């Protein structure tokens, strides 16, 4: 689970960071900051899910009491609290990055407001309730937002994919002809 989540969020956050390339002057700043925060979020999710890898190893130890003691010592203490805080801050930065990229895409008139609302609702539900079911709901809403954006980007022109204003790309095409 930890590996799939880490790998999945690496793809999702990198895709949102990459979609900022389609932004022109309108929304470019939002998309750029969102892309940077999305990349920072990848680090946070990777660090956070490393704990899942460690717990899996502890669970396979033959001495269950020793494994529990190691897991407990790993989760307690000032250093563990500091690391957890840093991981959470990086993950939140990635989530804010997603919202900023979507905001840039809305400002550039590449997509509508719905993907942004999907992302916000998913994050609020996950933060407010915080159980595995709400995490799944948040992930499904993020998937819906990603599909919506991918569909809008796929419908875009070649110039939109290159992040160029359409008027600037047309003269260059005529020069090549």
């Amino acid at each position: 689970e930890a590996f799939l989540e880490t790998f999945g969020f690496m793809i999702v956050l990198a895709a949102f960071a990459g979609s900022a390339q389609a932004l022109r002057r309108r929304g470019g700043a939002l998309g750029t900051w969102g892309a940077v925060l999305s990349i920072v979020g990848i680090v946070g999710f990777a660090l956070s899910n490393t704990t899942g890898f460690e717990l899996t190893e502890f669970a396979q130890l033959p001495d269950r009491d020793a494994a529990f003691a190691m897991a407990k010592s790993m989760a307690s203490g000032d250093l563990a609290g500091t690391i957890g805080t840093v991981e959470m801050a990086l993950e939140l930065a990635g989530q804010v990055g997603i919202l900023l990229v979507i905001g840039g895409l809305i400002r550039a008139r590449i997509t509508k407001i719905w993907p942004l609302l999907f992302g916000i609702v998913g994050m609020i539900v996950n933060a407010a309730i915080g159980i595995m079911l709400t995490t799944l709901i948040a992930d499904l809403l993020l998937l819906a937002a990603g599909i919506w954006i991918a569909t809008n980007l796929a419908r875009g022109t070649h110039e939109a994919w290159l992040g160029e204003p359409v008027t600037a790309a047309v003269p260059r095409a005529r020069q090549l002809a």
Side-chain angles (χ1 to χ4, degrees):
E1 178 269 336
F3 175 75
L4 286 176
E5 185 179 35
T6 301
F7 187 69
F9 270 98
M10 284 180 166
I11 292 171
V12 166
L13 293 170
F16 274 99
S19 69
Q21 173 65 31
L23 296 174
R24 297 175 285 283
R25 291 179 202 158
R26 292 179 55 92
L30 283 174
T32 301
W33 280 105
V36 169
L37 290 176
S38 292
I39 299 302
V40 168
I42 290 173
V43 175
F45 278 99
L47 289 173
S48 175
N49 287 325
T50 301
T51 305
F53 297 136
E54 293 166 350
L55 292 177
T56 301
E57 290 300 316
F58 290 153
Q60 295 178 19
L61 291 175
D63 185 355
R64 300 284 185 218
D65 292 333
F68 180 75
M70 284 195 307
K72 185 176 177 183
S73 70
M74 204 175 87
S76 62
D78 293 338
L79 181 60
T82 302
I83 291 171
T85 302
V86 169
E87 290 169 351
M88 181 59 77
L90 294 174
E91 287 181 23
L92 288 173
Q95 293 175 17
V96 169
I98 290 172
L99 298 179
L100 289 176
V101 169
I102 295 172
L105 293 169
I106 292 168
R107 183 153 166 69
R109 297 187 178 126
I110 293 174
T111 191
K112 300 287 184 197
I113 196 165
W114 296 109
L116 183 64
L117 295 178
F118 292 161
I120 291 171
V121 168
M123 288 175 199
I124 289 172
V125 166
N126 193 30
I129 301 171
I131 61 173
M132 195 59 92
L133 178 62
T134 57
T135 300
L136 176 63
I137 291 168
D139 288 347
L140 290 174
L141 287 169
L142 183 59
L143 176 64
I147 290 171
W148 188 298
I149 290 169
T151 303
N152 286 329
L153 286 172
R155 291 180 185 160
T157 63
H158 181 68
E159 291 80 15
W161 276 96
L162 296 175
E164 299 175 2
V166 175
T167 56
V170 172
R172 183 184 301 170
R174 288 185 186 152
Q175 289 175 354
L176 295 174

